[in-house]
Amino acid sequence: MASDVLGFFQHRAAMALLNHRRLCSGANSVTAIATRMHHLIQEAPMLAPSRLMATARFVPLPIAAQVANTVLKQTLRIHPKLFDRLGEYRTARFAFIPNDFPFSFSIRPADRAMTVMRRGKLPMADATISGPLVLMLALAEGRVDGDALFFSRKLLVTGDMEAVLALRNALDDNEVDLVSTISRLTGPFGEWSAKALDLVRRDALEKQGVPWN
């Protein structure tokens, strides 16, 4: 399956290069490319968020850890005071266990670094949040109603609820935008990446039946 995925994206990359001048002509080139990406997501099951997350099981653990910490460092570069409001909970350890992703994550805000492990190996934590990955990311951005997610048990919390509330308030105050954060790492492709990732994010949330805030 890994070779099939690689071949699929190689084919798409070749097609993109062949059509680059046509797609990039005019003032709305970025919008045109992002719209085409949206069509690819709908037309190709390989690009559906669920398929992309399933493919993540082929990613080596060290690479997954490097990607996660790169995104975290970029987020803290944009929001240097992100964890300041946590107070005593800066030394608490939070675990995030997606039920649809091959990796789990834990973070102790005072360390400003993330630990990544394969799913099934439960991290030690003062508070744990589990559920679909896209809902965890949306909660981190303050894009969804956290109370509704917890009440409906789409996201499950165990451990220190006060610590979770403190983390959620800190995130809400900083208005984190992970799509913007990640797209900044893509250099000259940032604007295109932001539009494409935003479409993927919205599609994933729609599939969860969660309204976008």
Side-chain angles (χ1 to χ4, degrees):
M1 180 177 176
S3 60
D4 292 340
V5 172
L6 179 60
F8 178 85
F9 282 108
Q10 286 175 335
H11 172 71
R12 288 300 182 186
M15 293 300 294
L17 288 173
L18 288 173
N19 293 298
H20 177 75
R21 290 184 178 178
R22 177 176 60 83
L23 287 174
C24 292
S25 61
N28 296 321
S29 59
V30 173
T31 301
I33 296 173
T35 301
R36 179 56 184 157
M37 173 63 77
H38 189 214
H39 291 159
L40 289 176
I41 292 168
Q42 293 180 322
E43 295 168 3
M46 191 73 72
L47 286 178
S50 60
R51 293 294 183 89
L52 290 175
M53 288 194 288
T55 304
R57 70 180 184 273
F58 296 109
V59 177
L61 181 59
I63 293 179
Q66 183 177 8
V67 170
N69 277 286
T70 297
V71 173
L72 175 63
K73 289 178 181 178
Q74 177 74 352
T75 301
L76 292 175
R77 191 174 296 117
I78 299 171
H79 306 281
K81 298 182 178 181
L82 178 62
F83 296 137
D84 286 2
R85 188 176 171 181
L86 286 174
E88 62 182 292
Y89 296 114
R90 292 181 72 253
T91 58
R93 181 166 291 280
F94 299 87
F96 304 90
I97 305 178
N99 57 18
D100 55 357
F101 199 63
F103 300 103
S104 298
F105 310 88
S106 70
I107 182 172
R108 185 174 178 266
D111 296 338
R112 302 174 77 85
M114 188 174 295
T115 301
V116 182
M117 58 199 70
R118 289 285 180 184
R119 186 172 63 186
K121 184 178 180 181
L122 297 179
M124 296 295 293
D126 298 293
T128 300
I129 301 176
S130 58
L133 177 63
V134 65
L135 295 186
M136 292 186 191
L137 296 178
L139 182 69
E141 294 181 302
R143 305 280 180 167
V144 292
D145 186 341
D147 292 333
L149 292 181
F150 295 141
F151 183 76
S152 65
R153 299 181 66 80
K154 288 187 174 183
L155 286 179
L156 301 178
V157 177
T158 57
D160 192 337
M161 179 61 77
E162 291 296 324
V164 172
L165 292 176
L167 179 61
R168 178 183 160 193
N169 289 336
L171 292 168
D172 286 346
D173 285 350
N174 282 269
E175 298 182 350
V176 173
D177 187 339
L178 292 175
V179 163
S180 175
T181 298
I182 294 171
S183 66
R184 292 189 186 193
L185 297 171
T186 62
F189 302 101
E191 190 175 359
W192 174 84
S193 298
K195 287 183 176 291
L197 288 172
D198 183 60
L199 289 170
V200 173
R201 177 173 59 184
R202 289 176 182 273
D203 284 350
L205 281 175
E206 286 179 6
K207 287 179 172 61
Q208 290 291 336
V210 175
W212 181 257
N213 185 353

